[in-house]
């Protein structure tokens, strides 16, 4: 019986681990583009040479700028020839504001391409086919779930035609978002509030409703994050009752005020307005999200009160929930979530908790809705 080469055998077993490490690094790099690449996806790329050593890294840094693959190829230089490119999204195959990355990888002499997620955009897909036609070994699907999570905003836009929505709330352990007298500053700690500014910086838009406008006069701009791109501040105010001196109307960040078609806005000179039809006195969630998607908004951070959160949940437009839970009890006061159209326990929106971490004295829980199937409904 032929004795196996121990070095070759070890390399064969180690290769999948090396692929996973490289792709996970590419996913980490992609996250650096959150908040600055819209309406394009976040993408990371790692290039290893023929021996498996990382020689180039890159990520898509801003819309209209070089793609992740181009940054990584420039960093790798001649060492890319004969190497492997690990990309979180299938390399593009079209010419927009930048050239096709699939052709750039082929021209650089890359021998193998591993991508995590296939591109669902018909205008840009086909990169894998182009790479294979050029004789490049091309594989897809490595760490696809992790890469999809990091690129959820763009993928939601392409697949559903609306932005990805994260509902953020702060509450006590008994689920109260404010005390009985309406006071709510501050339920959570300074550490949690600083973390919210990170969420804002990673979002295209921050959204509140009229109730929050009147109760809190929120500012909604990002603070304490050097170099952050300010998100679009959106306020739903059907009758345009917001005063001209509201903090959200300053010049710290762009602002969009969403009002009913017949709202009197003569006191709001210089304010960007979006007029939408009212349905039973309310702006339809889907109407708003469709407009935002068409205007290039790919991710929305919902920071409104319980009524607005209930409306989004009832519309099936909450893709992620992030709750900051303070170790405190109030016993009375408004709940974090108001009516969402759920009449009995069988209609409860079930969530999958993806993360639970301490933020100062608080607990931050991240969860995503569990897809509803006929079996789930029956259960």
């Amino acid at each position: 019986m032929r004795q196996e080469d121990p070095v070759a055998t070890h390399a064969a077993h180690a290769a999948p681990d090396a692929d996973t490490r490289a792709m996970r690094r590419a996913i980490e790099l992609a996250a650096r583009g959150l908040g600055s690449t819209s309406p394009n996806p976040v993408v990371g790329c790692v290039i290893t040479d023929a021996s498996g050593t990382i020689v180039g890294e890159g990520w898509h840094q801003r819309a209209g700028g070089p793609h992740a693959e181009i940054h990584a190829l420039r960093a790798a230089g001649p060492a890319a020839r004969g190497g492997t490119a690990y990309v979180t999204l299938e390399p593009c195959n079209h010419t927009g504001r930048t050239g096709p990355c699939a052709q750039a990888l082929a021209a650089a002499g890359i021998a193998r391409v591993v991508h995590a997620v296939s591109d669902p955009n018909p205008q840009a897909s086909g990169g894998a086919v182009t790479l294979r036609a050029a004789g490049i070994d091309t594989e897809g699907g490595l760490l696809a779930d992790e890469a999809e999570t990091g690129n959820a905003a763009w993928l939601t836009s392409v697949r559903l035609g609306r932005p990805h929505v994260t509902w953020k709330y702060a509450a006590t352990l008994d689920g109260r978002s404010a005390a009985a007298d309406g006071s709510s500053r501050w339920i959570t700690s300074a550490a949690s509030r600083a973390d919210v500014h990170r969420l804002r910086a990673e979002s295209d838009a921050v959204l509140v409703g009229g109730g929050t406008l009147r109760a809190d006069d929120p500012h909604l701009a990002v603070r304490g994050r050097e170099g952050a791109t300010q998100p679009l501040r959106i306020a739903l105010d059907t009758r345009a009752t917001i005063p001209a001196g509201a903090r959200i109307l300053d010049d710290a960040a762009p602002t969009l005020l969403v009002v009913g078609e017949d709202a009197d806005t003569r006191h709001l000179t210089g304010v960007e307005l979006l007029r939408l039809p009212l349905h039973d006195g309310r702006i339809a969630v889907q109407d708003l999200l469709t407009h935002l998607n068409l205007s290039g908004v790919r991710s929305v951070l919902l920071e409104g009160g319980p009524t607005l959160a209930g409306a989004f949940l009832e519309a099936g437009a909450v893709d992620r929930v992030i709750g900051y839970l303070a170790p405190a009890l109030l016993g009375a006061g408004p709940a974090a979530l108001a009516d969402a159209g759920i009449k009995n326990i069988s209609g409860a929106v079930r969530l999958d908790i993806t993360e639970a971490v301490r933020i100062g004295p608080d607990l931050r829980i991240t969860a995503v809705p569990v897809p509803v199937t006929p079996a789930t409904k029956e259960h």
Side-chain angles (χ1 to χ4, degrees), residues 96-193:
R97 284 185 284 182
T98 60
C101 292
Q103 294 181 22
L105 291 168
I110 289 289
R112 178 173 174 247
V113 173
V114 181
H115 65 268
V117 180
S118 296
D119 194 332
N121 183 355
Q123 293 182 327
S125 61
V129 174
T130 297
L131 291 168
R132 293 189 183 102
I136 297 172
D137 182 15
T138 305
E139 308 165 27
L142 179 63
L143 299 184
D145 289 346
E146 292 183 31
E148 286 217 9
T149 298
N151 218 4
W154 182 79
L155 290 169
T156 298
S157 173
V158 173
R159 292 168 177 169
L160 301 181
R162 65 163 177 81
H164 181 275
V165 177
T166 295
W167 171 40
K168 182 278 301 180
Y169 73 93
T172 59
L173 281 185
D174 56 342
R176 305 295 176 178
S177 61
D181 65 355
S183 60
S184 61
R185 294 185 179 182
W186 295 104
I187 284 179
T188 53
S189 66
S192 288
R193 298 195 297 274

Side-chain angles (χ1 to χ4, degrees), residues 16 72 105 110 122-123 160-161 192 202 258 275 279 293 359-360 377:
L105 291 168
I110 289 289
Q123 293 182 327
L160 301 181
S192 288
E202 293 177 355
V258 184
R275 294 184 182 273
H279 303 272
N293 189 66
I359 303 289
K377 290 182 177 179

Side-chain angles (χ1 to χ4, degrees), residues 284-379:
V285 169
Q286 294 298 344
D287 287 352
L288 173 63
L289 292 179
T290 297
H291 174 88
L292 293 178
N293 189 66
L294 291 173
S295 64
V297 173
R298 298 293 178 258
S299 58
V300 172
L301 181 62
L302 186 62
E303 289 201 38
T307 300
L308 187 63
F312 270 73
L313 196 64
E314 184 174 10
V318 173
D319 303 295
R320 181 175 62 163
V321 179
I322 298 181
Y324 293 87
L325 301 181
L329 302 171
L330 283 172
L337 179 66
D339 182 15
I342 299 170
K343 303 304 181 184
N344 54 61
I345 193 65
S346 65
V349 176
R350 302 292 179 176
L351 303 173
D352 177 25
I353 295 177
T354 59
E355 184 185 54
V357 296
R358 288 283 296 268
I359 303 289
D362 306 322
L363 180 66
R364 185 188 70 204
I365 295 179
T366 303
V368 296
V370 175
V372 177
T373 64
T376 303
K377 290 182 177 179
E378 181 179 346
H379 176 72

Side-chain angles (χ1 to χ4, degrees), residues 34-300:
L34 287 171
S36 61
T37 65
S38 235
N40 297 337
V42 294
V43 183
C45 178
V46 169
I47 293 177
T48 61
D49 63 15
S51 67
T53 301
I54 292 178
V55 292
E57 295 184 340
W59 69 93
H60 186 35
Q61 299 176 13
R62 59 179 178 83
H67 289 186
E69 297 94 323
I70 305 306
H71 283 298
L73 286 171
R74 288 174 179 172
R81 184 164 298 278
T84 298
Y86 300 86
V87 195
T88 57
L89 183 67
E90 178 186 357
C92 66
N93 196 44
H94 81 300
T95 300
R97 284 185 284 182
T98 60
C101 292
Q103 294 181 22
L105 291 168
I110 289 289
R112 178 173 174 247
V113 173
V114 181
H115 65 268
V117 180
S118 296
D119 194 332
N121 183 355
Q123 293 182 327
S125 61
V129 174
T130 297
L131 291 168
R132 293 189 183 102
I136 297 172
D137 182 15
T138 305
E139 308 165 27
L142 179 63
L143 299 184
D145 289 346
E146 292 183 31
E148 286 217 9
T149 298
N151 218 4
W154 182 79
L155 290 169
T156 298
S157 173
V158 173
R159 292 168 177 169
L160 301 181
R162 65 163 177 81
H164 181 275
V165 177
T166 295
W167 171 40
K168 182 278 301 180
Y169 73 93
T172 59
L173 281 185
D174 56 342
R176 305 295 176 178
S177 61
D181 65 355
S183 60
S184 61
R185 294 185 179 182
W186 295 104
I187 284 179
T188 53
S189 66
S192 288
R193 298 195 297 274
D195 195 58
V196 170
H197 285 280
R198 174 188 61 82
L199 291 179
R200 290 178 182 175
E202 293 177 355
S203 303
D204 293 343
V206 182
L207 174 63
V208 296
T212 299
L213 279 178
R214 291 184 288 273
D216 298 337
D217 189 21
H219 192 231
L220 300 184
V222 175
R223 298 188 301 275
R225 308 285 300 184
E226 186 176 353
T229 300
Q230 290 290 349
L232 174 67
R233 300 177 294 185
I234 306 174
L236 270 64
D237 189 11
T238 56
R239 296 185 300 276
T241 58
I242 184 174
R247 296 174 49 190
I248 198 174
L249 299 180
D250 68 11
D251 59 0
T255 299
L256 174 67
L257 187 63
V258 184
V259 301
E261 289 178 312
D262 299 327
D264 184 354
T265 59
R266 286 174 293 180
H267 65 296
L268 298 172
T269 57
V271 177
E272 183 179 357
L273 299 173
L274 169 62
R275 294 184 182 273
L276 291 175
L278 301 183
H279 303 272
D280 296 326
R282 300 164 63 182
I283 290 170
V285 169
Q286 294 298 344
D287 287 352
L288 173 63
L289 292 179
T290 297
H291 174 88
L292 293 178
N293 189 66
L294 291 173
S295 64
V297 173
R298 298 293 178 258
S299 58
V300 172

